[in-house]
């Protein structure tokens, strides 16, 4: 199949490479960076040309305004869409804007699925991403063979476009609050005189055990914050969660606190560190560092 793939960054490049390995042909357009190494793709002038050349167009772009620009811009996907073309947005963006873009795509004669992912760069490389989709069952069924080349845990969360994005934001709320809980516990135990490495080891055997205590707890104790998942991407996702919650009258008090702690980290130069660097905001507040 000829697949349009726009957004060949940290995540998109290995995802497109996995589609290509399975025999699909990739068509793309680039805004600045050259074609990633190891990927052969036909490079066209703009998203409209990509939409005109492909049966399915996958987007893996940074943020809501990027997807809006690529979709609605002068030479955007919508301008070049052929009847029946399926647009699959795998970026993490606003569920509200997603619903609008899906409607605009249907108005242009196409179909739309939102399918954000979790699992990071390693999941993208190993084709083991978790994929959370929203849209009509028939459109999901069309995209499924492609999803299976990029991910493992693949769920149609709801038959409304935006349901995948909402699920992804729920994921990001859980991850942020877990990181915050692990960071608070380790700062508390460490300033009380315990070795945080021993505390982590002890807790790993009990009810407080989690992947985040295991992986992110270790990063906090070692003081190594190479991403991983950049803090600024998590800030973007929590912003989306908070604004979506506000639009439907839901209060997310602890998500707001986690976001404020990330804002404090970013102000200290931490926006490009791994999100586990949230511990540094709590260390400042406690006037105590847990890592050597
Ligand atoms: P990235 O910044 O590495 O990649 C984005 C790519 O899009 C870049 O190559 C950029 O050049 C390209 N791009 C932007 N505008 C374009 C345009 N107009 N035309 C063509 N290309 C354009 O970002 P990423 O880390 O790959 O993340 C992509 C999405 O996936 C984000 O929404 C992010 O939140 C989500 N996500 C990321 C991770 C992760 O671990 N990095 C994990 C899960 C989900």
């Amino acid at each position: 199949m000829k697949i349009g793939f726009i957004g060949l960054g940290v995540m998109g490049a290995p995802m497109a490479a996995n589609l290509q390995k399975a025999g699909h042909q990739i068509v793309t357009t680039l805004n600045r960076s050259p074609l990633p190494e190891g990927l052969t793709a036909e490079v066209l002038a703009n998203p409209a040309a990509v939409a005109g050349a492909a049966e399915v167009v996958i987007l893996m772009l940074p943020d809501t305004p990027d997807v809006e620009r690529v979709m609605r811009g002068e030479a955007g996907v919508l301008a070049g869409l052929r009847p029946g073309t399926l647009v699959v947005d795998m970026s993490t963006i606003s569920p509200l804007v997603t619903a609008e873009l899906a409607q605009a795509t249907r108005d242009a004669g196409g179909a739309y699925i939102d399918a954000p992912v979790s699992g990071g760069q390693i999941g993208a490389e190993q084709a083991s991403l978790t994929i959370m989709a929203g849209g009509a069952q028939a459109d999901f069924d069309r995209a499924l063979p492609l999803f299976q080349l990029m991910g493992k845990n693949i769920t149609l969360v709801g038959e409304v476009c935006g349901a995948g994005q909402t699920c992804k934001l729920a994921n990001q709320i859980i991850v942020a609050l877990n990181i915050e809980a692990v960071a608070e516990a380790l700062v508390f135990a460490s300033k009380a005189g315990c070795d945080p490495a021993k505390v982590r080891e002890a807790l790993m055997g009990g009810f407080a055990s989690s992947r985040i205590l295991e992986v992110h707890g270790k990063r906090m104790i070692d003081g190594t914050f190479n991403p991983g998942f950049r803090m600024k991407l998590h800030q973007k996702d929590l912003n989306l969660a908070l604004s979506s919650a506000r639009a439907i009258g839901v209060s997310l008090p602890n998500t707001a606190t986690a976001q404020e702690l990330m804002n404090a980290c970013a102000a200290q130069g931490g926006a490009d560190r791994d999100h586990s660097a949230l511990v540094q905001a709590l260390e400042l507040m406690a006037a105590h560092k847990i890592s050597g």
Side-chain angles (χ1 to χ4, degrees):
M1 193 192 286
K2 220 176 199 189
I3 300 173
F5 204 117
I6 306 177
L8 298 171
V10 170
M11 298 293 287
M15 289 162 73
N18 284 328
L19 293 172
Q20 190 175 50
K21 256 183 254 159
H24 295 293
Q25 241 179 299
I26 305 295
V27 195
T28 193
T29 184
L30 302 167
N31 65 335
R32 48 172 203 267
S33 33
L35 208 54
E37 245 175 76
L39 189 74
T40 331
E42 194 182 335
V43 182
L44 302 179
N46 50 51
V50 172
E55 284 168 63
V56 173
V57 179
I58 298 177
L59 309 179
M60 196 51 173
L61 297 158
D63 203 350
T64 308
D66 304 298
V67 176
E68 283 200 289
R69 206 172 306 124
V70 164
M71 286 294 291
R72 291 191 195 270
E74 205 179 313
V77 167
L78 289 172
L81 204 69
R82 290 180 306 174
T85 299
L86 177 64
V87 176
V88 183
D89 182 23
M90 303 190 77
S91 336
T92 302
I93 68 158
S94 156
L96 307 172
V97 172
T98 293
E100 292 167 11
L101 291 173
Q103 187 56 51
T105 305
R106 283 192 292 272
D107 292 346
Y112 194 99
I113 286 270
D114 56 302
V117 307
S118 76
Q121 186 179 358
I122 293 172
E125 286 166 0
Q126 297 179 346
S128 62
L129 293 168
T130 290
I131 301 177
M132 302 154 253
Q137 181 75 53
D139 298 331
F140 175 77
D141 292 345
R142 244 177 104 189
L144 187 58
L146 303 181
F147 290 156
Q148 284 165 336
L149 297 172
M150 298 183 277
K152 288 229 163 72
N153 181 16
I154 303 158
T155 310
L156 178 62
V157 177
E159 291 212 38
V160 178
C161 289
Q165 297 293 355
T166 299
C167 182
K168 167 71 187 189
L169 297 182
N171 179 83
Q172 294 305 74
I173 292 170
I174 294 172
V175 172
L177 268 53
N178 266 292
I179 288 178
E180 206 273 337
V182 166
E184 275 194 21
L186 292 179
V187 169
F188 161 71
S190 172
K191 193 162 183 183
C194 296
D195 176 352
K198 291 276 180 221
V199 170
R200 172 179 166 278
E201 205 178 299
L203 298 185
M204 283 298 296
F207 200 41
S209 172
S210 68
R211 278 288 285 159
I212 285 172
L213 177 63
E214 184 189 348
V215 177
H216 296 74
K218 179 153 180 11
R219 289 177 191 165
M220 293 174 198
I221 291 162
D222 294 345
T224 51
F225 300 116
N226 307 326
F229 187 73
R230 281 177 214 284
M231 181 94 65
K232 65 181 175 201
L233 280 180
H234 212 145
Q235 287 181 281
K236 174 201 73 160
D237 296 346
L238 296 187
N239 264 336
L240 291 173
L242 290 166
S243 58
S244 306
R246 183 173 162 209
I248 55 168
V250 170
S251 174
L252 302 176
N254 290 309
T255 303
T257 303
Q259 174 74 318
E260 287 305 326
L261 291 169
M262 287 192 190
N263 288 347
C265 284
Q268 303 281 331
D272 282 314
R273 293 185 197 134
D274 185 71
H275 51 172
S276 54
L278 183 148
V279 72
Q280 293 179 313
L282 297 171
E283 287 178 331
L284 264 176
M285 288 156 78
H288 176 80
K289 275 179 79 67
I290 63 169
S291 60

